[in-house]
């Protein structure tokens, strides 16, 4: 058996025992905090590494071959688990949790499981290990054995998993900013220990050909992983969320290096660029991304706005650019449609104003002449059957229609400037200008609101005329002003016959009149309300008459 008095044996035993204690202790500590990303894998990795170290110390210090074989067989499943735990940690650490499905974990663990079973039964078939015999190597007495075909294949698989995990971390190192590069560097540094120890073990580079350097290397690697996860903090949700957000974004993201070549694309960008875009020159693949290009740009049947952000290192050196292409196809279509509708509306307004001018100029003059002729004939007493009275009424109605058309031509125009208007004073001033007969007005409340003064007066005038026309000369009109926060509402009510419920939705339409009017007065009210962005509701007053409420008026700042 090994010479326990020899210094090399004592040194190596001490290293194995110390590594075993550290591994088991840190593994137990990590187990308590295993909810951290990669924490479970780090805990199991340390426990396995600590167990392997203690069992290897037992193999060296054992006084008989049986104890050495028992320690070897007990360590076998622990050795088989380490490569699997490492690759699972790398997937969790680098944010590739979608690859950590049950089926994939089983697929990764199956070769290790098969190798352990074959190693335990290798005495009968030699597939995993050759004959196991004690070998004296200087002061050490170790178990020597060769690798069978399955054992050799598993060693290659273990090294492949070690390299794959390291490449995942390297990729993360390149993708993350400086804030997180310390963690990735520490993980990569720790990975060197089992890798180099494996090379030193299987390729004889030391004084003791049969001595394994892997047990302590596994623990050292686990300590580095523990420090990354629990001391430095893993690449937490901020990095994972950032990568995930870019991947699931519906807007294309293009990353170019300082040499002008495309370095990375998210899935949305892959759908609009050629399949071989990564690595190609940005100016060749997508010349319209150059700074200063007019936005938006068209790609197929879609349109994009481009947001460009530079990538710089801590010294301010240019390292590339990130281009975010925001899909504004729907916005541009709405804008085009809006511009078309505005142009059409402008043409309609021009035609309406032209028509109103024709009506005002070409019809009022002959109408005035006809009205004068009728009045002259009435003064001479040449109207035995009342025909002149009917003609005069028709002329008056035509005059009302002309006036209504002129008001309608400007009622719906956009309000550009707002005046500070006292509602109580405006209501009383408008009422005083009308021929109200025996009608009475009551005003409750007051506020100073923002409105186009002339059009607000036109609105109130039309509502008052509507009340007098339908409610009679003795109608009672009530105006109430209420303020709620920054909004003002004006309600105009009367005690006339009211408006049937089924007609209230139609009374502001052009040409709709319930009492033989022109059908333009309330239409003008609706246009003025819409031009200001207010609201109009039609209902029944407390007296059973009509009630119009104009809401959404803005209170003027004091």
């Amino acid at each position: 058996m090994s010479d326990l008095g020899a210094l090399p044996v004592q040194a190596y035993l001490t290293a194995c025992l110390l590594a075993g204690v550290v591994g088991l202790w840190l593994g137990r500590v990590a187990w308590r905090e295993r909810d951290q990303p990669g924490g479970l894998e780090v805990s199991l990795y340390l426990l396995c590494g600590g167990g392997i170290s203690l069992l290897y110390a037992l193999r060296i210090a054992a006084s008989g071959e049986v104890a050495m074989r028992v320690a070897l067989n007990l360590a076998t499943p622990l050795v088989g688990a380490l490569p699997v735990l490492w690759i699972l940690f790398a997937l969790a650490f680098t944010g590739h949790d979608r690859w950590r499905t049950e089926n994939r974990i089983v697929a990764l663990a199956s070769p290790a499981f098969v190798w352990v079973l074959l190693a335990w039964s290798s005495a009968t078939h030699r597939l995993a290990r050759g004959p196991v015999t004690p070998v004296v190597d200087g002061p050490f007495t170790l178990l020597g054995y060769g690798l069978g075909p399955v054992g050799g294949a598993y060693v290659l698989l273990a090294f492949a998993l070690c390299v794959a995990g390291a490449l995942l971390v390297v990729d993360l190192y390149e993708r993350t900013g400086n804030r997180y590069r310390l963690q990735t560097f520490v993980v990569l540094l720790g990975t060197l220990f089992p890798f180099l120890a494996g090379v030193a073990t299987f390729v004889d580079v030391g004084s003791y050909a049969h001595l394994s350097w892997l047990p302590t290397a596994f623990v050292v690697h686990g300590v580095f992983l523990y420090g990354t996860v629990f001391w430095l903090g893993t690449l937490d949700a901020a990095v994972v969320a950032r990568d995930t957000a870019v991947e699931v974004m519906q807007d294309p993201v293009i990353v170019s290096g300082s040499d002008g070549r495309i370095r990375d694309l998210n899935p949305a960008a892959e759908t609009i660029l050629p399949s071989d875009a990564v690595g190609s020159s940005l100016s060749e693949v997508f010349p319209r991304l150059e700074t200063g290009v007019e936005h938006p740009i068209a790609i197929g049947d879609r349109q994009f706005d481009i947001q460009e952000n530079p990538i710089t290192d801590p010294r301010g050196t240019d390292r590339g650019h990130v281009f975010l292409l925001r899909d504004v196809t729907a916005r541009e279509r709405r804008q085009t449609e809006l511009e078309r509708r505005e142009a059409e509306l402008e043409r309609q307004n021009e035609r309406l104003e032209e028509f109103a001018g024709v009506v005002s100029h070409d019809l009022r003059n002959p109408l005035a002449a006809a009205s004068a002729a009728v009045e002259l004939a009435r003064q001479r007493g040449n109207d035995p059957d009342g025909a002149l009275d009917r003609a005069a009424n028709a002329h008056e109605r035509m005059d009302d229609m002309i006036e209504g058309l002129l008001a309608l031509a400007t009622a719906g125009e956009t309000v550009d400037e707002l005046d500070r208007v006292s509602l109580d004073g405006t209501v009383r001033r408008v009422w005083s200008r009308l021929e109200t007969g025996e009608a009475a007005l009551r005003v409750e409340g007051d506020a100073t609101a923002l409105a186009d003064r002339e059009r607000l007066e036109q609105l109130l005038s039309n509502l008052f005329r509507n009340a007098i026309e339908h409610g009679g000369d003795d109608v009672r009109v009530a105006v109430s002003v209420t303020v709620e926060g920054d909004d003002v509402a004006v309600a105009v009510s009367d005690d006339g016959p009211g408006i049937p419920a089924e007609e209230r939705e139609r009374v502001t339409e052009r040409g709709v009149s319930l009492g033989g009017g022109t059908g333009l007065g309330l239409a003008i009210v609706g246009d003025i309300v819409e031009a200001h962005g207010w609201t109009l509701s039609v209902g029944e007053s407390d007296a059973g008459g009509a009630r119009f409420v104009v809401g959404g008026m803005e209170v003027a700042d004091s």
Side-chain angles (χ1 to χ4, degrees), residues 164-320:
L167 291 177
L168 287 173
V169 180
V170 169
D171 176 69
L172 183 65
Y173 182 89
E174 294 178 347
R175 289 189 289 116
T176 55
N178 294 321
R179 177 183 174 189
Y180 298 102
R181 288 198 166 182
L182 177 60
Q183 290 94 322
T184 53
F185 177 76
V186 170
V187 173
L188 289 174
L189 182 61
T191 307
L192 288 176
F193 287 90
F195 184 81
L196 295 177
V199 172
T201 298
F202 291 100
V203 179
D204 186 12
V205 295
S207 301
Y208 306 104
H210 294 84
L211 190 65
S212 176
W213 303 97
L214 282 169
T216 54
F218 287 142
V219 175
V220 173
H221 187 205
V223 171
F224 272 81
L225 299 183
Y226 178 89
T228 302
V229 173
F230 299 100
W231 291 343
L232 298 177
T234 56
L235 299 186
D236 55 16
V239 173
V240 177
R242 187 179 296 114
D243 289 343
T244 302
V246 172
E247 288 296 310
V248 302
M249 283 178 62
Q250 296 182 355
D251 292 327
V253 177
I254 302 173
V255 180
S256 68
S258 57
D259 58 355
R261 295 190 175 276
I262 297 176
R263 291 286 185 265
D264 194 15
L265 304 171
N266 72 340
E270 292 174 352
T271 63
I272 64 172
L273 295 182
S275 57
D276 58 348
V278 176
S280 302
S281 173
L282 180 64
S283 59
E284 295 177 358
V285 175
F286 208 160
R288 286 170 292 178
L289 281 185
E290 295 178 357
T291 304
V293 70
E294 184 178 355
H295 297 172
I297 62 173
I299 305 175
D301 59 349
R302 300 166 67 186
Q303 292 184 304
F304 298 90
D305 274 343
I306 301 174
Q307 177 182 339
E308 179 184 0
N309 296 294
I311 304 173
T312 58
D313 62 17
R315 296 184 296 274
T317 305
D318 180 20
R319 295 301 184 186

Side-chain angles (χ1 to χ4, degrees), residues 15-83:
C16 285
L17 291 173
L18 181 60
V21 171
V22 170
L24 293 179
W25 178 71
L26 279 182
R28 181 171 176 271
V29 174
W31 180 261
R32 297 174 181 172
E33 303 293 335
R34 61 186 180 276
D35 292 335
Q36 292 281 349
L40 176 61
E41 288 78 6
V42 171
S43 173
L44 295 176
Y45 195 96
L46 283 166
L47 292 173
C48 289
I52 293 170
S53 291
L54 293 179
L55 290 170
Y56 198 75
L58 177 60
R59 286 164 57 184
I60 294 175
S63 58
E65 182 180 344
V66 174
M68 296 172 68
R69 288 178 178 272
V70 170
L72 173 63
N73 288 329
L74 290 177
T76 299
L78 303 181
V79 174
L82 288 179

Side-chain angles (χ1 to χ4, degrees), residues 404 407-408 411 458-470 492 494 498-499 503-515 517-530 536-539 546-550:
L408 190 65
Q458 179 71 52
L459 180 150
L460 293 171
S461 176
N462 285 15
L463 290 178
F464 292 157
R465 287 176 179 175
N466 181 77
I468 295 171
E469 179 181 347
H470 296 284
V492 179
D494 62 58
I499 302 173
E503 299 291 341
R504 292 171 186 167
E505 296 289 335
R506 300 178 57 245
V507 292
T508 57
E509 296 179 5
R510 292 172 176 78
V512 176
S513 176
L514 302 182
T518 63
L520 298 177
L522 293 181
I524 293 172
V525 170
D527 285 350
I528 294 174
V529 167
E530 183 177 355
L536 175 66
S537 61
V538 183
R547 185 171 189 266
F548 297 85
V549 180
V550 179

